[in-house]
Amino acid sequence: MSTEKHTALYGWHVARGAKIVPFAGYAMPVQYEDGIVKEHLWTREHAGLFDVSHMGQVLVHGADVAASLERLLPVDLQGLAVGQQRYALLMNAQGGIDDDLMLTRRAEDFYVVVNAACKDADFAKLRAGLPDCEVSWWQARSLLALQGPEAVEVLAAIEPAVRDLTFMHGGEFTLLGIPCWVSRSGYTGEDGYEISVPDDRAAVLADLLCKDPRVKPVGLGARDSLRLEAGLCLYGNDIDATTTPIEASLIWAIQKVRRPGGERAGGYPGADVVGEQIENGAPRKRVGLAIDGRAPVRAHTELYLGAEKVGEVTSGGFGATLNAPIAMGYVQAAHAAVGTKLVAKVRGKDVAVEVVAMPFVKKDYKK
């Protein structure tokens, strides 16, 4: 018997012909009848609806919660306004990334979204590292992501006030009489929203959204190819507990106030390692890779410069928007410059690749 957990929308997916696969301990839709490429292109052109309810939703409350969270995360949370959202990294003592999170400062707490495969470990780390705060699951909640250039018009037809949200901001909204937490964010490189909704109303909301001809349900397959085109990391592939933020080209996620010389520099696990790499550079860097030919270059493919192995692919696939294969991975810092030509070893054959800037597809966010 299968031991995978189900989201509140599992039956909804099955009824719509979804192909279900195991992912991070859950039975999740990887695609629907249109297939990954069509779902990918539909999201880029219109609006795709994703079920991301397997991710964990956590609430952190305390008298000085922002300062407390900064003991674990190398980001500026004290400077966040109410309703403002920030990408953050949960660090370990070796300077590695135990998970990447999304946090929003709300009037009474911080709302935190954590990755599905890490959520129980993250919850334990937050509780252990924040003894002066109350850390709790936001129980019985689903999370829907409505992504694409037409997402704003679709959701505004239900609640016009969502137009006023800008990228990386959230607030409380009533949709169909349902109290929801809505943020203007996502992980596809497109404009859109993430909607936290009570489990027992998730299917009602999903049905209403998909009645709009601009919306189609989209599975995790297209979500992965969309985020790859946008140059966004997948935890467990492109970043993990052995990867530092500087190696991962995520220095932008560490605001200047938390860097060496900043007003609140350091003070989080691994700060010495990260600070040293900010000052002196990291031994390897995450880079984008353009592929010569049509065959995808997948994760774990080794990269060479001449006879020397200089890196490895961490994510690779077909970029449907570009109609070409793309990849990202890590290479030695000395060979990480844009324009560097390398060779990928694919099933015993040499495939020419070139280091390129990311994102592969320009992000379209409402700032």
Side-chain angles (χ1 to χ4, degrees), residues 52-58 111-116 119 137 143:
V52 289
S53 307
H54 57 313
M55 301 180 79
Q57 300 182 62
V58 179
Y111 167 55
V112 186
V113 179
V114 300
N115 282 307
K119 63 184 181 182
W137 292 112
L143 191 62

Side-chain angles (χ1 to χ4, degrees), residues 18-23 28-32 35-41 43-44 49-52 54 187-188 217-229 234 298 316-320:
K19 179 182 177 182
I20 303 295
V21 299
F23 181 81
M28 297 296 293
V30 67
Q31 67 179 69
Y32 296 83
I36 292 172
V37 170
K38 287 184 179 179
E39 291 173 19
H40 176 119
L41 294 173
T43 304
R44 286 274 185 253
L49 183 66
F50 303 78
D51 179 14
V52 289
H54 57 313
Y187 223 59
T188 62
V218 179
L220 294 183
R223 181 176 169 85
D224 188 51
S225 58
L226 288 159
R227 69 89 196 166
L228 177 57
E229 284 188 341
L234 176 65
R298 304 292 185 184
F318 184 71

Side-chain angles (χ1 to χ4, degrees), residues 227 232-234 236-240 243 248 286 314-315 328 330:
R227 69 89 196 166
L232 300 170
C233 295
L234 176 65
N237 281 47
D238 310 299
I239 51 175
D240 59 27
T243 312
R286 181 174 65 93
T314 53
S315 286
M328 70 170 77
Y330 286 83

Side-chain angles (χ1 to χ4, degrees), residues 251-270:
I251 190 171
W252 58 265
I254 305 175
Q255 289 71 46
K256 289 183 179 180
V257 72
R258 304 303 312 281
R259 299 180 195 175
E263 182 183 339
R264 298 192 309 282
Y268 55 87

Side-chain angles (χ1 to χ4, degrees), residues 96-114:
I97 302 168
D98 283 344
D99 199 8
D100 58 343
L101 325 171
M102 296 296 290
L103 297 93
T104 308
R105 187 171 202 160
R106 309 197 306 178
E108 302 296 332
D109 59 20
F110 269 78
Y111 167 55
V112 186
V113 179
V114 300

